[in-house]
Amino acid sequence: MIKVFGHTSPDTDSAASAIVWAWYLSEIQGTPARPFLLGTPNTEAAFVLKHWGVEQPQMLDLAAGDEVVIVDTNNPAELPANIADASITAIIDHHLLIGGLHTKTPIDITIRPLACTATIMYDLMGSAVEKAPNQIKGLMLSCILSDTLEFRSPTTTPHDRAVAEDLARHLRVDISAFAAEMFAAKSDVSAYSEAALLTMDSKAYEVGGKELRISVLETTSPAQILSRKDALIAAMPGVAADKGADQVLLFIVDILNEEATLIIPNDLVRTIAEKSFGVTAKGDTVVLPGVMSRKKQIIPVLAV
Amino acid sequence: MIKVFGHTSPDTDSAASAIVWAWYLSEIQGTPARPFLLGTPNTEAAFVLKHWGVEQPQMLDLAAGDEVVIVDTNNPAELPANIADASITAIIDHHLLIGGLHTKTPIDITIRPLACTATIMYDLMGSAVEKAPNQIKGLMLSCILSDTLEFRSPTTTPHDRAVAEDLARHLRVDISAFAAEMFAAKSDVSAYSEAALLTMDSKAYEVGGKELRISVLETTSPAQILSRKDALIAAMPGVAADKGADQVLLFIVDILNEEATLIIPNDLVRTIAEKSFGVTAKGDTVVLPGVMSRKKQIIPVLAV
């Protein structure tokens, strides 16, 4: 039985695309497979699974020699510590090649510069997509709407959009109404601690000798998060120490206004903000107009 | 203009698949591209280019920021030293993921456990294959026959074979006759020095703390190479030092008899031979029946 899973701190694409691919392997390819999670899904992912009537996958328990398919990441830091002892049979991802994973034999690796893992799966499945039940089609649509922020993110390609629109047509889903429900679920972060908010969508990135955690919160209600700014700043050193990082950068992405607010807790982050984004950052936050994508608009420009 | 190239010490798949993909990018995708070489092609690759009337690509001169597509390898040790300064736009390969390359943004990466890079390209091209001139189809066929040793290698998949047979049908090529010509060209190694023979198809591999060069010579005339055994053994320490390795292992693959002869210059290689292949190695060579593939039958079992 092949174990299919995405990254730690599962978001919609990571949780749902694992379910989609496990379905494809089991039902179309005839290779028994099951999806697993590497943590509690975020509020949007939990909403999406419930909306489509899909059971939440179990937490991964990975043993040496297990056959696995990795989706939505190729970064060992976002995978179980013992991933090197597993037998990786495939990787499907849309992130930059981080260069940390290696395999003992040639395997199937498909990485595409698309907005979403589910879009790549749609392409890999070919005509088998037609055999997918509505649940699976709904999960794929949800992944694309989540990762593209309903086509607002600059990571969106015409192909991602076309695939989402094709799925929505089949499902008779009103994209705007459904995306609004998803984003409302994602924006309800009242149950999370500050430390949880700082790590729920966070990637390690090294620049200029500094080990940074680049954390992003996508929301339709930035004020809800910004009202906790002081507590978030207070929680940053502990989270950084816990992750072995020098600093946490928190970008609050306002989905509807298409801008990000970066919290500035100290002079290091102030320097990073000014050098990376060409802004003047005087207070303890700075607004970055148009910035919505860590992958396209944050990671490539980061300078310390 | 995108620069398309394979690995150092170019063999048929590495040289010809770069030409094939540059054709596809330029003529079908409308993205100007040119193939390049990272060294002098081996005698088989040179024969193949001449046979299909294709000009030998120029040697690569790689500048920082150049847009490149890497084919038939994902190993930085087999690429120019300044590959990290290039802008890699795609990787198409059929080797194990070595884990050394990384990219600044998401790119197209297609790795498949097939015998040959050209087979993957055939799949990626889809119906555009029909538009390929006979030269390009001929190069693709040659790649598959070379990497599968005319379907004898255990790396051969039914799909590689089906693609080769489809191409041969279109080209009205007699596979056995043409493969025999290719292998005769590959077996004519009289012009090479011992050091050149030890490095012409050689991959670095670390096992048990030892840095090894795993060199393979595929031939229809093993006696021609074995007649130079003493000189090959004498050349090994110099080649190993030059490559920063502890030892060169030379496997002479007899294409027709489907076996390999490993040269045993010292007790380290004797131990490796016995531990890895379960043989008793008393003399200065040992025959390994059925062993034809470094990827499938040598690298995975190596033990020191």
Side-chain angles (χ1 to χ4, degrees), chain A residues 10 73 106 146 155 168 212 229 286 289 295:
Chain A
T73 183
S146 173
T155 59
L212 304 177
K229 184 181 61 191
V286 64
K295 196 158 76 170

Side-chain angles (χ1 to χ4, degrees), chain A residues 91 94-114 124 295-296 299-300, chain B residues 91 94-114 124 205 295 299-300:
Chain A
I91 301 170
H94 66 120
H95 294 91
L96 62 87
L97 185 66
I98 201 106
L101 284 182
H102 50 94
T103 64
K104 293 184 187 74
T105 58
I107 65 162
D108 272 299
I109 301 178
T110 307
I111 302 181
R112 295 284 179 267
L114 294 168
L124 289 173
K295 196 158 76 170
K296 282 255 183 184
I299 296 279
Chain B
I91 300 169
H94 65 120
H95 295 92
L96 61 87
L97 185 66
I98 200 110
L101 284 181
H102 49 95
T103 65
K104 294 184 186 76
T105 58
I107 65 162
D108 272 298
I109 301 178
T110 307
I111 301 180
R112 295 284 179 268
L114 293 168
L124 289 174
Y205 191 72
K295 195 157 78 170
I299 296 281

